[in-house]
Amino acid sequence: MNEQEMRKLYEKMMREKKIKSKFIIENLSHEGSKITWHVDELIEIWNKLNKNEKCIAKYINFALDTCHIFNSQLDVRGFFNVFDKEIGFKHLTCIHLNDAKEKYRDRHESLFNGFIGNKYGTYTNKSGKKVKFNGDPYIFCDIVDMIESYEIPMVIERNDDKDDYQCIKDQIDALNNLRKGRKYGIYY
């Protein structure tokens, strides 16, 4: 959303004057010329609204997607920490808790099976060579720990090749087990 689009949204909201819904701005994956992919852009939008348009700032909240953050080659934990410091988790409506199926494209993967959370992963690069990578499964635990007291809903998207129910259950169980193990000093 650029300034001109924000202005149009603001003008429409002012004309209608009866706004009951929130507008949710989601961070995007950095592909092409998209904006709102970097936490600084979200902060800039928020600060402009709070400074110049307080009457509509109360109708704006945010959604953060872990896959989008990773695909933008940003530090996932750092993104959440800066967001909380500069905007605040109280303005966070939802988190899309997704792993990344690909390194530089917006392709979601089940938790702990992609580039973010798979500790011992491999992928085939463009030249056909198998390459090892080390994800950090505790990133997802850290995010849940950061936002837990705010009771922010989390969306866990499924992997297309699995049964919906079982895939979602497995992801939630794995996340809970990892958090429980870490609580007792057991690390993966």
Side-chain angles (χ1 to χ4, degrees), residues 174-188:
L175 182 62
N176 284 333
N177 289 336
L178 199 60
R179 290 180 73 217
K180 202 179 300 176
R182 182 168 71 173
K183 182 178 174 183
Y184 295 107
I186 302 166
Y187 290 91
Y188 167 67

Side-chain angles (χ1 to χ4, degrees), residues 79-188:
F79 194 103
F80 275 84
N81 286 327
V82 171
F83 181 92
D84 186 32
K85 182 179 173 207
E86 298 295 329
I87 297 173
F89 287 147
K90 68 182 178 183
H91 300 290
L92 187 57
T93 298
C94 176
I95 293 174
H96 290 207
L97 204 61
N98 299 308
D99 213 324
K101 187 176 246 177
E102 295 184 29
K103 212 168 183 175
Y104 303 111
R105 294 185 63 214
D106 181 19
R107 300 291 179 266
H108 297 166
E109 178 61 274
S110 298
L111 296 180
F112 312 111
N113 290 330
F115 281 92
I116 301 172
N118 188 339
K119 192 170 183 176
Y120 305 106
T122 61
Y123 73 100
T124 305
N125 67 15
K126 290 180 182 176
S127 63
K129 183 180 176 188
K130 286 263 187 203
V131 179
K132 292 181 183 180
F133 67 89
N134 296 316
D136 180 359
Y138 293 101
I139 286 176
F140 298 117
C141 298
D142 292 345
I143 291 167
V144 173
D145 291 347
M146 278 186 238
I147 58 116
E148 193 167 41
S149 65
Y150 293 90
E151 298 182 4
I152 298 167
M154 290 179 281
V155 175
I156 296 179
E157 297 178 65
R158 63 181 185 78
N159 189 344
D160 288 332
D161 61 353
K162 292 185 180 179
D163 172 60
D164 289 345
Y165 169 79
Q166 193 61 47
C167 180
I168 291 168
K169 181 185 178 311
D170 291 348
Q171 290 180 77
I172 292 169
D173 288 348
L175 182 62
N176 284 333
N177 289 336
L178 199 60
R179 290 180 73 217
K180 202 179 300 176
R182 182 168 71 173
K183 182 178 174 183
Y184 295 107
I186 302 166
Y187 290 91
Y188 167 67

Side-chain angles (χ1 to χ4, degrees), residues 42-52 86-87:
L42 298 177
I43 294 166
E44 182 181 347
I45 289 169
W46 181 248
N47 288 341
K48 282 182 181 179
L49 287 171
N50 267 327
K51 183 178 178 190
N52 304 322
E86 298 295 329
I87 297 173

